[in-house]
Amino acid sequence: SLILLESMMLGVPTIASYAGGMPDLFTNMQTALGYPAGDHISLAHRVRSLFNNQNLANQISSNAYNLAHKRNEQLSCAEGMANIYRTVLHKIN
């Protein structure tokens, strides 16, 4: 999963299997290309589609980059944590 997250942060068009927690990290055909784990033929088709369709590769790259940076925006993360603490404190009081 870390490799997928890192590639998204760099804006590298990526192909990921539908295994483990990976499907929760990307949207197929938008932020990465997905394929069934162990299906080498589907993987080969996905690789070919990136090489043959520059527009698709560019769109996935841009979408992945934007999503990754939005997820990891420091101010957003800090505000999210503050909201969690506010909610907990509110329930205690």
Side-chain angles (χ1 to χ4, degrees):
S1 299
L2 185 56
I3 292 171
L4 174 60
L5 295 174
E6 289 174 346
S7 70
M8 292 174 78
M9 286 292 292
L10 294 172
V12 176
T14 305
I15 302 166
S17 67
Y18 296 118
M22 298 287 269
D24 295 331
L25 301 176
F26 73 96
T27 301
N28 187 43
M29 300 296 291
Q30 292 180 19
T31 54
L33 295 180
Y35 72 98
D39 186 347
H40 62 281
I41 293 174
S42 291
L43 173 59
H45 285 293
R46 293 301 196 188
V47 170
R48 181 180 294 160
S49 68
L50 281 182
F51 282 117
N52 291 339
N53 189 338
Q54 188 64 45
N55 289 334
L56 176 63
N58 289 340
Q59 191 63 47
I60 287 173
S61 174
S62 177
N63 291 343
Y65 180 88
N66 291 334
L67 175 63
H69 285 266
K70 183 177 178 181
R71 274 187 192 149
N72 293 297
E73 190 175 85
Q74 289 181 359
L75 183 58
S76 174
C77 291
E79 185 60 33
M81 287 301 295
N83 286 335
I84 291 170
Y85 285 119
R86 282 187 205 102
T87 301
V88 169
L89 289 174
H90 180 71
K91 289 182 180 183
I92 293 173
N93 295 327

